[in-house]
Amino acid sequence: MTKIIQHALVTGGAGFIGSHLVDALIEQGARVTVIDNLTTGKMENLQDAGARVHFVEGDIRNRGLLQQVMDGVDVVFHQAAVVSVPLSVAHPLDSAAVNETGTLEVLEAARQAGCRRVVLASSSAVYGDDPELPKRETMAFGPLSPYAVQKMTGEYYAGLYTKLYGLETACLRYFNVFGPRQDPSSPYSGVISIFLDRAGAGRSPVIYGDGEQTRDFVYVRDVVSANVCAATEDTAAGKAFNIGTGKTITINRLWQQVAELAGIALAPDYEAARHGDILHSVAAIDAARRDLGFSPEISFEEGLARTYAWYQRQ
Ligand code: UD1
């Protein structure tokens, strides 16, 4: 059975993925509240939503505030996080405070408020470097970074909240999400945003390692659809799903495609591989297809072209 979302809370709703989710929820007629501390989120990401979103500036670890914004909410989309793998290697405690403690705060507040379901943003990083590909939800966890441990822990907490308290949860293991609004401004940003930014500025990118590592890049709109289904489908409750496309590209090839799009020919600079970096990552998405009706609709090429066009307009 499919349930309707009446009042959604999106943590990290001014961020890259969160703000696209807000737009989609508003379009569907849901009431939407956002809590975001604007560390990496931006108010301009909520421009389209405008006055239709109830925005609250604050941290998910502010317990009193979290309780307030949870009032009357039936579905929580927990997108707030420190999303960078290398940043978690450099600052494990800071990232754990948000990704681990913050997630527990969100689950606990949702339990106390009597929310129907919490959809958590998890990560393909939980699989680590298991040589078996594609990654399946049935495979064992093998975290290689604090970030991966934190996302794994969030999933364990979600499972516990279902068992102990009957709070419905669904975890989405995002593969590499890209699209408009991904902020390229930090060395810890997503690789596509950095490469598009470099190409636009006519500057060479840095490739960490030999560039032959692979990623499964999924367009943000498809990730948003997966979130909505994870909140509305009965078949999603209590489960974790890979959200990717099942296709991969090497980082070397990614730069070639970006350079072609931008009409430039610049050789990348190569630096040592990052600690905690995964070599190969590709999703099996059968479970998401079956239980969420998930089907990625935007091809990588189409998504890249749309994202490039967006960066050019900025
Ligand atoms: C990304 C997400 C993470 C998510 C995970 C799921 C970001 C910042 N990270 O991690 O939240 O949970 O996917 O799979 O969105 N690289 C370069 N040059 C650069 C930047 C990166 O060569 O300038 C390389 C990295 O070493 C890595 C690959 O590109 O091998 C992807 O890096 P990145 O975009 O940071 O993503 P992940 O670490 O895969």
Side-chain angles (χ1 to χ4, degrees):
M1 232 180 74
T2 304
K3 294 205 173 70
I4 286 169
I5 303 167
Q6 277 161 351
H7 185 176
L9 173 70
V10 183
T11 72
F16 160 48
I17 302 173
S19 65
H20 285 283
L21 181 56
V22 167
D23 291 344
L25 291 166
I26 285 175
E27 205 167 292
Q28 292 186 3
R31 216 175 128 194
V32 183
T33 300
V34 162
I35 182 168
D36 196 306
N37 66 3
L38 301 180
T39 303
T40 52
K42 293 196 181 85
M43 283 313 286
E44 67 200 53
N45 289 341
L46 290 173
Q47 247 166 26
D48 293 352
R52 291 175 297 173
V53 64
H54 174 51
F55 176 78
V56 177
E57 184 175 345
D59 198 289
I60 52 169
R61 291 162 295 172
N62 180 340
R63 201 167 293 168
L65 188 64
L66 200 57
Q67 276 166 354
Q68 275 175 36
V69 294
M70 241 4 127
D71 190 37
V73 162
D74 56 333
V75 177
V76 180
F77 295 94
H78 179 38
Q79 307 294 312
V82 175
V83 300
S84 165
V85 173
L87 193 66
S88 81
V89 173
H91 304 286
L93 286 169
D94 292 343
S95 61
V98 177
N99 295 346
E100 220 173 287
T101 308
T103 297
L104 186 53
E105 292 279 3
V106 169
L107 286 165
E108 178 56 14
R111 167 176 93 95
Q112 286 187 13
C115 300
R116 176 172 62 78
R117 189 171 294 182
V118 180
V119 179
L120 283 103
S122 182
S123 169
S124 63
V126 298
Y127 295 116
D129 256 342
D130 191 318
E132 202 183 313
L133 295 170
K135 315 278 189 187
R136 295 190 178 278
E137 291 86 348
T138 46
M139 285 165 60
F141 289 135
L144 293 177
S145 60
Y147 172 82
V149 169
Q150 292 151 16
K151 287 291 174 182
M152 182 190 79
T153 307
E155 288 202 17
Y156 276 126
Y157 275 129
L160 268 182
Y161 266 71
T162 302
K163 278 197 202 93
L164 293 177
Y165 311 116
L167 175 67
E168 288 182 7
T169 57
C171 300
L172 300 183
R173 294 179 184 162
Y174 297 163
F175 281 63
N176 287 63
V177 188
F178 75 105
R181 298 182 191 159
Q182 195 168 24
D183 181 2
S185 63
S186 137
Y188 296 123
S189 301
V191 66
I192 290 190
S193 69
I194 295 177
F195 280 12
L196 288 172
D197 188 58
R198 291 281 167 116
R203 286 167 59 213
S204 293
V206 174
I207 290 184
Y208 300 106
D210 65 5
E212 286 304 296
Q213 67 267 43
T214 52
R215 289 294 185 275
D216 179 340
F217 290 103
V218 55
Y219 192 65
V220 65
R221 209 182 78 183
D222 286 323
V223 174
V224 165
S225 306
N227 269 280
V228 171
C229 294
T232 54
E233 298 304 317
D234 279 348
T235 44
K239 295 181 191 155
F241 299 98
N242 289 344
I243 303 300
T245 65
K247 301 193 181 100
T248 57
I249 180 168
T250 66
I251 299 302
N252 283 327
R253 178 71 196 130
L254 171 68
W255 172 248
Q256 280 170 13
Q257 281 200 222
V258 167
E260 272 167 33
L261 254 181
I264 54 168
L266 273 176
D269 296 324
Y270 286 87
E271 289 186 12
R274 287 169 157 178
H275 289 300
D277 211 29
I278 286 164
L279 214 45
H280 298 298
S281 180
V282 59
I285 53 173
D286 320 52
R289 279 189 199 282
R290 186 187 59 231
D291 292 335
L292 304 180
F294 174 69
S295 171
E297 282 177 358
I298 312 289
S299 71
F300 174 69
E301 289 73 19
E302 171 67 21
L304 196 64
R306 286 189 196 187
T307 311
Y308 179 64
W310 185 85
Y311 279 106
Q312 282 202 306
R313 285 199 301 274
Q314 296 310 298

